[in-house]
Amino acid sequence: MSTVLIVVALVVLVALVGAALYWRSRSRNELRRPALQRRFGPEYDLTLARHDGNHEAADRELAGRVERYGHLRPHPLTGEVRERYETRWAELQQRFVDAPREAVAEAGELLAGLAEERGFPAANAYEEQMAALSVHHAHSLDAYRRVRRAARPEGTGANTEQLRTALLEARRLFEELSSDRPRNHRRGARRHEADSGHHHRPSHLPRSLKPKGSGV
């Protein structure tokens, strides 16, 4: 009889320990979740949707990205290299007027190459590069995803207005990748411009990206 009681007690103890560990892990994840949501913004929602609404799975994936790529520090760009990328970006914006889809496809290639130049995974390792960029540029990443998608054969369904919007929004990521200023400084500057009602337009940025004869 005493042996049975000992076995039952051990089973109960193991169950209690397991429950305690489970709830401790769950509590830790719930405490970590707001930080992940703030850091990843729209990328958190995309990851959550990919995991069919499973918050724990989404948290594990994003925490894993931070662990793998959080230590990454961008390589500095020389003035010559930065000027070369800025010139290419200005040229493709001008090219959009006559060839919108080709210009958007080139923007995707340019961003991929610039990210690689800054020390992110190689341009031909798309998923790895996106995962690393999401850790450091999550709030600017969706437009990059759209211009990369437009460069693929299955991306030809985007209309001109969608291409134009994607290109204009992708410029934010281009500015972040081509600048050595801290991102929080740039965000503060954008908030200041929004609050003051002044919006700076770079001198090389065309006043319009509307294709000729598009009526857009």
Side-chain angles (χ1 to χ4, degrees):
M1 190 67 180
S2 60
T3 302
V4 173
L5 291 175
I6 292 173
V7 171
V8 171
L10 288 174
V11 170
V12 171
L13 180 60
V14 169
L16 289 174
V17 170
L21 291 174
Y22 168 79
W23 286 108
R24 181 181 178 183
S25 174
R26 181 169 178 174
S27 298
R28 187 186 301 116
N29 289 338
E30 290 177 351
L31 289 172
R32 178 179 60 181
R33 187 168 301 149
L36 290 172
Q37 290 172 326
R38 286 192 300 271
R39 178 164 195 162
F40 286 94
E43 288 296 308
Y44 185 94
D45 295 332
L46 287 172
T47 306
L48 182 63
R50 194 167 61 251
H51 287 285
D52 299 321
N54 186 326
H55 280 276
E56 293 183 2
D59 292 348
R60 282 195 300 272
E61 178 179 335
L62 295 176
R65 293 189 202 176
V66 174
E67 185 176 350
R68 289 196 303 276
Y69 303 112
H71 66 281
L72 190 151
R73 295 295 177 267
H75 300 164
L77 294 178
T78 65
E80 181 181 354
V81 171
R82 181 178 293 105
E83 184 176 353
R84 185 176 77 241
Y85 276 103
E86 290 175 348
T87 299
R88 286 182 59 194
W89 188 270
E91 290 173 348
L92 71 85
Q93 286 188 142
Q94 296 288 352
R95 195 173 303 119
F96 184 91
V97 176
D98 296 308
R101 194 170 303 282
E102 289 78 1
V104 169
E106 184 180 345
E109 295 173 0
L110 188 151
L111 287 169
L114 178 55
E116 181 176 350
E117 187 114 37
R118 295 309 304 267
F120 289 93
N124 59 8
Y126 175 71
E127 294 299 335
E128 289 183 40
Q129 189 180 79
M130 289 294 290
L133 285 170
S134 73
V135 175
H136 298 273
H137 300 279
H139 295 267
S140 310
L141 203 56
D142 189 54
Y144 173 49
R145 184 180 287 110
R146 282 186 280 143
V147 297
R148 286 295 299 265
R149 190 181 301 129
R152 302 172 186 170
E154 65 270 21
T156 56
N159 61 39
T160 301
E161 178 59 22
Q162 291 169 331
L163 292 172
R164 184 183 72 86
T165 300
L167 181 59
L168 289 173
E169 292 180 355
R171 182 174 176 85
R172 177 180 175 184
L173 178 59
F174 172 77
E175 290 174 342
E176 291 181 2
L177 287 172
S178 60
S179 174
D180 286 328
R181 288 181 299 165
R183 279 172 290 141
N184 57 355
H185 173 81
R186 293 194 296 275
R187 289 173 184 168
R190 281 194 293 269
R191 284 196 299 270
H192 174 73
E193 290 175 358
D195 293 341
S196 63
H198 298 295
H199 300 279
H200 173 68
R201 178 187 294 273
S203 59
H204 60 273
L205 184 64
R207 296 183 63 83
S208 173
L209 291 178
K210 297 178 182 179
K212 294 178 180 177
S214 67
V216 178

